[in-house]
Amino acid sequence: MGKQAGAHIVWDWNGTLFHDIDAIIGATNAAFADLGLQPITIEQYRTLYCVPVPKFYERLLGRLPTDAEWAVMDETFHRYYTEHRVTCGLTEGVAELLVAWRAAGRSQSLLSMYGHDELVPLVRGFGIEEHFIRVDGRTGPSGGSKVEHMVRHIEALVSVDPARTVVIGDAADDAVAALHVGARAVLYTGGSHSRASLEEVGVPVVDTLEEAVAEAERLAA
């Protein structure tokens, strides 16, 4: 099967299509409480957040968490997040953007570091699954980089040309993963990172997903 001629978007989920930053901050602070850390603000989170996630905790603790500490914090984070994600919704304008991109004859897929078995029914519940030619969530342990997952995702998209693919996400790691597979990236400021930290990556940074799609169209032309 040959590569298609059209542009392709690989969307990130958490903090990009799914506006869940409040649930993430709450879950992070619940995990911090297990180690006796003070809660952090959204501004502090966006300034300090990085992957792999244990490095993020190192920035706050002054050391890497032990394996035992990481296990407790990771379990607490996911338990709290699962309880509170129900209050979160799609980022403003997402449904219309997905429809328009698909209606123009272009393709799009979804790759998330959220667990696959939880991601798929969540996406389906929002009624947007049909817009993606593939939906992949994380398999294996949490907290790592998106790179290896992006490699598998792109390899599975046999009709998609990486050179005409743009990854849209909210984290520096989205851009790192994109560049690793020969794709481009656009980073969105509405999620986990501050604009300043995103701009350090050297790819386009935007404040709305509408701008992100317009930039993706330009990059993949």
Side-chain angles (χ1 to χ4, degrees):
M1 189 173 181
K3 300 295 184 184
Q4 68 173 26
H8 179 83
I9 290 176
V10 177
W11 291 97
D12 172 57
W13 180 246
N14 302 98
T16 304
L17 293 180
F18 190 45
H19 186 66
D20 61 349
I21 189 65
D22 290 336
I24 286 174
I25 296 298
T28 299
N29 282 330
F32 284 176
D34 287 338
L35 291 188
L37 294 175
Q38 293 297 310
I40 63 171
T41 66
I42 188 171
E43 291 79 12
Q44 290 172 313
Y45 181 93
R46 285 174 166 163
T47 298
L48 296 172
Y49 182 74
C50 64
V51 295
V53 177
K55 293 289 290 182
F56 169 50
Y57 292 133
E58 182 182 24
R59 291 181 174 185
L60 293 151
L61 287 169
R63 61 175 175 81
L64 281 170
T66 66
D67 290 345
E69 288 172 334
W70 166 249
V72 169
M73 295 171 76
D74 191 49
E75 190 280 330
T76 300
F77 177 94
H78 285 97
R79 174 165 40 82
Y80 183 101
Y81 178 82
T82 299
E83 293 172 359
H84 289 80
R85 75 179 187 199
V86 295
T87 64
C88 304
L90 297 177
T91 301
E92 183 178 356
V94 160
E96 294 80 5
L97 290 171
L98 296 178
V99 168
W101 186 264
R102 184 183 178 199
R106 307 181 184 104
S107 62
Q108 53 200 331
S109 59
L110 175 57
L111 174 62
S112 174
M113 293 299 282
Y114 195 47
H116 183 78
D117 292 342
E118 296 173 284
L119 173 69
V120 172
L122 187 56
V123 173
R124 189 172 294 151
F126 281 109
I128 59 174
E129 184 183 24
E130 65 178 343
H131 300 307
F132 306 111
I133 62 174
R134 187 175 183 89
V135 174
D136 283 329
R138 172 185 48 79
T139 57
S142 63
S145 172
K146 205 171 196 173
V147 169
E148 63 183 74
H149 298 275
M150 185 67 73
V151 170
R152 290 195 295 268
H153 187 74
I154 292 297
E155 287 177 348
L157 298 173
V158 294
S159 64
V160 170
D161 182 359
R164 298 206 63 200
T165 295
V166 179
V167 175
I168 297 178
D170 70 312
D173 193 50
D174 290 305
V176 172
L179 298 175
H180 184 81
V181 298
R184 312 291 285 278
V186 178
L187 297 179
Y188 163 61
T189 62
S192 61
H193 282 39
S194 67
R195 170 175 276 277
S197 61
L198 292 178
E199 287 177 342
E200 291 177 1
V201 184
V203 302
V205 176
V206 298
D207 296 319
T208 69
L209 292 185
E210 185 177 8
E211 293 175 278
V213 170
E215 190 66 19
E217 187 173 5
R218 183 186 69 80
L219 290 172

